[in-house]
Every structure is written in C-alpha cells, then in structure tokens.
C-alpha cells in the first residue's frame, strides 16, 4: 500500500522528495539571478546616503548664516516658513532613504545636522513668538546703568502705592 500525500500528485514519498529538490533548485537559480540586482541596489542606496549627507552638511552651513538669526531681521517668519518647507522636504527624503536602507539591510546614519537645523528652527520660532519688549512692574523705577548696580530708591514710593513718578523700564531681548 502506497502513501498518498494530499499535496503531492506523485503517489509515493519518493516522488515528493524529487519534487521538493526540483523546486529548491529553481529557488536557488532565482536567488543567483536576484543577488546581483540586490547588490546593485545596495550600492545605489549607499550612494544616495553619501550624496544626501553632503547635501545636508551644505544645507546646515547655509542655514547657520540666515538673517532670521539676527536681531535686526525685519520679517523672520516668512524666511523661517520657507526654510521649514526645505527642512520638511529633506526630512521626507531622509525617511525614504531610511526605508530603502532597512529594506536592503543597509545601515543609515542619523543625519544629525538636519536634526540640529530642525531643533534650532523650533527654538527660533519660540523666541520669535516672545514679545520684543517686556514691561515688568517689579522693576518699575529702578535706575539701571552699565557700570552701577540697580537702585531701588524709586521703588519705595511704588511699593507704598505712589507710582505716579515711576516709569516702567523696557527690557530689550537680544
């Protein structure tokens, strides 16, 4: 009595062994065909990583010299929004490279200059949202000069409710 395997149309286990070896030979043939294509793709990904790293380093150098880092910049928001769009495009390209790298098991660096640009732009937006002049009622009446200490003689009247002669000091953020 011969054993019939439900997946095998051959009738015995010997036929099954022959069929399995034939299928594995076909698989090895396909692996040999795919290996050069995979190696070429890995080289392409490494080239993309190298080019992207050079681009990000150049972008970081240019980013550090933008006008919105200067106090005199009149319209920091427009420039910051444009640079934000550039950073978003670079971050999307970085995610694409990381996805390709993980698919082909290629180590992809973190691209720290891009992350640093994002961090500094976020900090810049936060600082730009603060008012440029702060009026603090606690320092009303202080006489401030470069070479002397603050004087509190004018705050005595202010603390007693007589703040008619005291003017608020405006502190400029730099």
């Amino acid at each position: 009595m011969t054993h019939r395997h439900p997946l095998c149309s051959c009738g015995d286990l010997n036929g099954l062994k022959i069929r399995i070896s034939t299928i594995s030979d076909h698989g090895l043939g396909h692996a040999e065909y795919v290996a050069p294509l995979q190696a070429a793709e890995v080289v392409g990904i490494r080239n993309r990583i190298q080019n992207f790293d050079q681009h990000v380093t150049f972008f970081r150098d240019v980013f550090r010299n933008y006008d919105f880092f200067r106090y005199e910049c009149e319209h920091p928001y427009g420039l910051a929004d444009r640079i934000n769009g550039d950073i978003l495009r670079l971050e999307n390209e970085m995610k694409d490279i990381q996805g390709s790298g993980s698919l082909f098991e290629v180590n992809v660096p973190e691209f720290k200059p891009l992350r640093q640009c994002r961090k500094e732009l976020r900090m810049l937006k936060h600082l730009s949202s603060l008012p440029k002049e702060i009026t603090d009622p606690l320092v009303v009446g202080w006489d401030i000069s470069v070479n002397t200490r603050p004087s509190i003689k004018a705050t005595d009247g202010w603390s007693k409710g007589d703040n008619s002669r005291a003017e608020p000091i405006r502190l400029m953020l730099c």
Side-chain angles (χ1 to χ4, degrees):
M1 175 173 231
T2 61
H3 247 58
R4 286 202 171 259
H5 193 275
L7 297 177
C8 181
S9 63
C10 310
D12 54 25
L13 292 177
N14 242 357
L16 181 61
K17 288 180 185 178
I18 293 171
R19 190 145 190 222
I20 288 174
S21 68
T22 305
I23 291 173
S24 65
D25 289 343
H26 285 299
L28 290 176
H30 290 296
E32 290 172 2
Y33 175 73
V34 171
L37 297 175
Q38 186 175 4
E41 189 64 30
V42 167
V43 168
I45 291 171
R46 287 190 179 140
N47 288 338
R48 277 182 68 192
I49 290 170
Q50 185 179 10
N51 291 337
F52 185 74
D53 191 37
Q54 290 173 353
H55 184 72
V56 166
T57 303
F58 177 74
F59 180 80
R60 172 79 179 139
D61 291 340
V62 171
F63 178 82
R64 290 174 35 187
N65 295 319
Y66 275 118
D67 285 340
F68 53 64
F69 286 116
R70 292 181 182 78
Y71 183 74
E72 299 86 26
C73 183
E74 294 180 16
H75 304 289
Y77 291 110
L79 185 57
D81 285 342
R82 194 191 69 174
I83 301 306
N84 184 47
D86 292 343
I87 291 175
L88 282 174
R89 281 189 289 282
L90 288 172
E91 286 173 339
N92 287 336
E93 187 175 346
M94 179 182 71
K95 286 178 187 176
D96 184 43
I97 291 173
Q98 287 173 338
S100 298
S102 66
L103 183 64
F104 286 95
E105 298 176 359
V106 175
N107 290 331
V108 180
E110 291 185 32
F111 302 112
K112 290 182 181 180
L114 184 60
R115 294 188 191 274
Q116 187 67 25
C117 288
R118 169 58 69 200
K119 179 181 174 184
E120 289 176 5
L121 186 64
R122 192 177 307 123
M123 206 176 339
L124 176 77
K125 285 184 175 185
H126 178 70
L127 285 174
S128 295
S129 67
L130 294 175
K132 295 198 185 265
E133 294 182 13
I134 298 176
T135 304
D136 189 354
L138 297 177
V139 293
V140 172
W142 283 12
D143 295 328
I144 296 178
S145 86
V146 178
N147 297 324
T148 61
R149 297 174 123 188
S151 162
I152 1 179
K153 65 183 177 187
T155 59
D156 289 336
W158 181 77
S159 63
K160 295 175 185 169
D162 180 27
N163 58 357
S164 60
R165 64 174 191 235
E167 287 291 321
I169 295 176
R170 295 181 184 267
L171 301 174
M172 299 300 289
L173 294 177
C174 299

